[in-house]
Amino acid sequence: MPPAIEATGLTKTYGDLRVLDALDLHVPRGTVFALLGPNGAGKTTTVRILATLTTPDAGHARVAGHDVVTARSRVRRAISLTGQFAAVDETQTGAENLWTAARLSGLSRPAAARRTTELLDRFGLAEAGGRLTRTYSGGMRRRLDLAAGLVRDPGATQVMFLDEPTTGLDPRSRQELWQAVRELSDAGTTVFLTTQYLEEADRLADRIAVLGRGRTLAEGTPAELKARYAAHRLDVTAPDDVSYTLLTERTGPAATRDPETRTLGIPTDGTAAHVRELLDTLDPGRRDIARFGLHTATLDDVFLTLTAEKEPTRV
Ligand SMILES: Nc1ncnc2c1ncn2[C@@H]1O[C@H](COP(=O)(O)OP(=O)(O)OP(=O)(O)O)[C@@H](O)[C@H]1O
Ligand SMILES: [Mg+2]
């Protein structure tokens, strides 16, 4: 069995902006894969190429064993996609939207009706199902859109693409979506998702790739990435605003900042030597740091460490 997704050398340029620069991806079947990256890193572009909505300038990709350029319709039959922005028909009710999606995906009338009820229920839209979606809140639209993406029999969807599935969802809806992703994955569907929420990637994904400057900056399990890129974080707190400003100038872009508490977090390997060196570099005069603490790294630290360089690649 070929992997769910295999991409080599994917390149995409818009004008003079190189969005993807020889991107490689490998996603084994049945896994949950999260693509992380700052705004504009090329996550949606990657999803659109893999889902056959746009073509790469160079490179190749196979999804469910089919080439995304030369075997588009085969790829399309094997995938399901929920885009970054909700695509619901405002002139229809929630139930009608799902029914239409179910029929389009090939379900029989009774099966479409069953699936519609089931999904309205699962996404907390049972009561609103009969209302025109024009009257839905942003979160309700998002949930309906996600439900539409799950309408197909899980057995028929080999790879599910979810582009920022939980942006704009309240915490409970987010939990429900996570549950739905886990169920899909347990049923054997490969899930490829993008997210800005690192906690989400941490909880859901078997493997994570961090996208930056058009390439994968790092790839691995959440635990591997944490261990490799930011084992620990040194938090330093300034005694006053003047010192806080000075510390901010002396730390690199990889530091986390919290002006409210005048605290900066700096990635470190946690060794005494490095912590000492950091304290000396940040506060040579020994007056700008009032307190410090050492913490185990979170995925946020990894992300900030890896994506510290902000400049996009110009061709
Ligand atoms: N059709 C297009 N024409 C011109 N530029 C584009 C087009 N699509 C994307 N871009 C540019 O490519 C870059 C990457 O966009 P993309 O939507 O892939 O980023 P993203 O990682 O999904 O960002 P976000 O987190 O904001 O959703 C951006 O600078 C964007 O402006
Ligand atoms: Mg995007």
Side-chain angles (χ1 to χ4, degrees):
M1 283 280 254
I5 299 170
E6 183 84 271
T8 45
L10 286 185
T11 301
K12 184 79 185 176
T13 304
Y14 288 114
D16 67 347
L17 183 69
R18 177 147 295 168
V19 179
L20 299 181
D21 187 13
L23 176 72
D24 296 334
L25 288 170
H26 177 91
V27 181
R29 283 185 188 248
T31 60
V32 178
F33 189 89
L35 190 63
L36 305 180
N39 288 135
K43 301 181 296 297
T44 297
T45 304
T46 306
V47 167
R48 288 177 55 82
I49 290 173
L50 296 175
T52 77
L53 297 177
T54 189
T55 49
D57 300 335
H60 294 280
R62 296 176 85 80
V63 171
H66 310 296
D67 188 283
V68 296
V69 176
T70 60
R72 281 170 81 167
S73 46
R74 278 167 197 267
V75 172
R76 287 187 181 189
R77 277 198 293 275
I79 67 170
S80 173
L81 164 70
T82 300
Q84 182 168 1
F85 303 102
V88 301
D89 182 346
E90 299 216 319
T91 65
Q92 291 191 324
T93 66
E96 284 162 354
N97 263 283
L98 289 184
W99 159 266
T100 310
R103 291 290 286 155
L104 283 174
S105 81
L107 294 191
S108 68
R109 285 167 173 274
R114 265 200 310 277
R115 198 79 182 120
T116 298
T117 314
E118 210 176 285
L119 286 167
L120 285 173
D121 224 37
R122 182 198 268 186
F123 284 90
L125 294 168
E127 272 175 33
R131 259 165 50 198
L132 289 182
T133 53
R134 188 187 304 140
T135 68
Y136 281 21
S137 72
M140 288 164 83
R141 279 164 202 250
R142 191 69 198 138
R143 282 183 275 152
L144 184 67
D145 198 38
L146 288 162
L150 296 171
V151 90
R152 282 215 316 195
D153 168 19
T157 305
Q158 297 185 47
V159 185
M160 173 101 198
F161 292 96
L162 298 167
D163 195 359
E164 296 201 23
T166 59
T167 301
L169 293 187
D170 61 37
R172 197 173 59 90
S173 305
R174 182 168 294 161
Q175 296 274 358
E176 281 162 5
L177 192 265
W178 288 353
Q179 190 52 36
V181 168
R182 285 195 194 98
E183 283 166 18
L184 271 172
S185 168
D186 290 346
T189 304
T190 307
V191 180
F192 185 99
L193 63 91
T194 75
T195 182
Q196 300 286 350
Y197 300 106
L198 303 174
E199 183 206 356
E200 178 163 296
D202 206 353
R203 289 209 192 179
L204 275 185
D206 297 301
R207 296 187 78 78
I208 291 172
V210 182
L211 195 60
R213 301 189 285 288
R215 292 165 179 259
T216 37
L217 299 176
E219 206 256 320
T221 65
E224 279 168 5
L225 291 180
K226 282 184 233 175
R228 204 182 319 152
Y229 291 99
H232 295 89
R233 193 184 70 229
L234 176 71
D235 282 344
V236 297
T237 305
D240 51 49
D241 289 341
V242 176
S243 291
Y244 179 73
T245 308
L246 285 169
L247 288 177
T248 309
E249 284 162 6
R250 290 176 198 144
T251 52
T256 58
R257 283 159 201 201
D258 184 1
E260 294 260 310
T261 60
R262 295 193 296 265
T263 301
L264 292 156
I266 303 107
T268 165
D269 59 11
T271 57
H274 190 233
V275 170
R276 246 187 223 121
E277 186 194 315
L278 277 175
L279 290 173
D280 285 340
T281 316
L282 292 173
D283 186 14
R286 305 207 168 181
R287 69 180 93 83
D288 297 321
I289 294 175
R291 272 173 288 120
F292 74 89
L294 198 58
H295 302 274
T296 308
T298 65
L299 212 49
D300 291 73
D301 302 317
V302 175
F303 185 80
L304 287 164
T305 307
L306 285 168
T307 58
E309 191 184 313
K310 288 254 164 58
E311 272 304 289
T313 314
R314 295 280 162 190
V315 182

